[in-house]
């Protein structure tokens, strides 16, 4: 059974620690704000110029002047601040954001990322993903395992325009979790399956993944938190 988007976001939130500065990309990553572990305080940054972003507002409490980079209404926690995009990208390019959690159209077995455009389709702009993957020490991708037409999104080589080369450290799909693990002898990073969604098998992942991958000896098949236990709010 595939993980829900909230469960995927909760898995991403598991690795965040007190004091981390974290950028949330457009799409599934925005749900991380609603799924932080109890007692863990992180500072969420939105590249349009917001530091101290809170969870999504409940219906009826939205403020149209408070939005994230995806134009969704958000909340700002006490002590939060709003600033111009030059300051925001200074934070990103200066390495002050520890983790970037982004969406993806394709991720390669080498950790290359394509997430900003599909040739022939209109886009408003490339956004800040290129700066994020270059300036952030850790990049986590949240994505469906396969596209709507069934094609793999975790591929041998990206065929879409690249956002960054060998920049992804972890992939969390609706079916599995992969880490890019460096071989101590060769220094080459290789895709490694480390966790499965409930009821999903390694064989199913191999059938639905174009890229080659290893399977971690200590594969964690423990289900994530039940979606019903996650606090909901409007997105």
């Amino acid at each position: 059974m595939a993980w829900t988007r909230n469960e995927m976001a909760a898995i991403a939130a598991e690795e965040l620690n007190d004091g981390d500065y974290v950028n949330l990309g457009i799409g599934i990553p925005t749900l991380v704000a609603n799924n932080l572990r109890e007692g863990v305080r992180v500072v969420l940054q939105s590249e349009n110029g917001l530091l101290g972003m809170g969870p999504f507002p409940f219906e009826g409490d939205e403020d149209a002047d408070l939005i994230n980079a995806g134009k969704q209404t958000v909340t700002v926690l006490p002590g939060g601040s709003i600033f111009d995009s030059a300051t925001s990208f200074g934070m990103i390019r200066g390495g002050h954001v520890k983790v970037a959690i982004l969406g993806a159209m394709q991720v390669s077995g080498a950790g290359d990322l394509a997430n900003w455009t599909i040739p022939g389709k209109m886009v408003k702009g490339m956004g800040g993903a290129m700066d994020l993957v270059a300036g952030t020490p850790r990049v986590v991708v949240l994505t469906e395992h396969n596209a709507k037409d069934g094609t793999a999104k975790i591929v041998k080589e990206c065929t879409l325009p690249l956002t960054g080369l060998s920049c992804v450290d972890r992939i969390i799909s609706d079916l599995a979790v992969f880490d890019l693990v460096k071989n101590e002898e060769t220094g080459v990073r290789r895709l490694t399956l480390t966790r499965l969604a409930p009821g999903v098998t390694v064989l199913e992942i191999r059938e639905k993944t174009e890229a080659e991958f290893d399977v971690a000896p200590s594969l964690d098949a423990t289900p994530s938190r039940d979606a019903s236990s996650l606090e909901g709010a409007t997105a």
Side-chain angles (χ1 to χ4, degrees):
M1 181 176 66
W3 284 312
T4 65
R5 290 186 167 203
N6 265 316
E7 288 175 315
M8 293 163 62
I11 293 169
E14 288 174 2
E15 68 172 86
L16 302 180
N17 300 302
D18 274 336
D20 285 350
Y21 283 74
V22 183
N23 178 281
L24 302 182
I26 297 170
I28 304 174
T30 60
L31 297 175
V32 172
N34 279 42
N35 290 285
L36 296 170
R37 289 178 294 152
E38 187 175 354
V40 174
R41 296 180 179 273
V42 302
V43 181
L44 299 179
Q45 192 247 20
S46 184
E47 67 200 51
N48 59 316
L50 175 59
L51 195 65
M53 183 169 59
F56 284 116
F58 288 98
E59 188 173 357
D61 293 337
E62 300 94 339
D63 181 343
D65 290 327
L66 297 177
I67 60 171
N68 62 18
K71 308 300 186 291
Q72 297 168 304
T73 53
V74 295
T75 59
V76 179
L77 298 177
S81 57
I82 298 171
F83 36 83
D84 59 46
S85 60
T87 302
S88 179
F89 280 91
M91 293 176 183
I92 294 167
R93 295 170 183 171
H96 302 293
V97 178
K98 181 178 180 181
V99 183
I101 303 178
L102 306 174
M105 297 169 185
Q106 289 180 333
V107 186
S108 79
D112 303 335
L113 174 64
N115 78 341
W116 72 276
T117 191
I118 296 175
K121 291 197 174 184
M122 182 178 293
V123 294
K124 296 179 180 179
M126 65 181 63
M130 294 179 187
D131 294 272
L132 285 164
V133 299
T136 307
R138 182 167 176 81
V139 175
V140 177
V141 163
L142 287 175
T143 181
E144 284 89 2
H145 204 89
N146 297 88
K148 291 180 180 179
D149 63 1
T151 56
K153 297 182 76 170
I154 304 173
V155 296
K156 291 181 180 178
E157 293 185 7
C158 294
T159 56
L160 296 173
L162 288 173
T163 305
L165 288 170
S166 191
C167 57
V168 176
D169 298 291
R170 170 169 285 182
I171 305 168
I172 301 170
S173 80
D174 54 338
L175 300 179
V177 177
F178 294 90
D179 285 319
L180 274 294
V181 179
K182 181 182 288 187
N183 184 296
E184 295 299 330
E185 295 181 359
T186 65
V188 175
R189 299 198 311 160
R190 184 169 170 83
L191 200 63
T192 303
L193 178 66
T194 59
R195 185 169 178 176
L196 293 168
V200 177
T201 65
V202 174
L203 178 60
E204 181 180 351
I205 297 300
R206 291 202 184 280
E207 290 174 345
K208 295 182 176 182
T209 307
E210 181 187 301
E212 296 181 356
F213 60 86
D214 297 326
V215 179
S218 57
L219 180 65
D220 179 10
T222 303
S224 62
R225 291 181 290 165
D226 190 280
S228 63
S229 69
L230 304 175
E231 294 184 5
T234 58

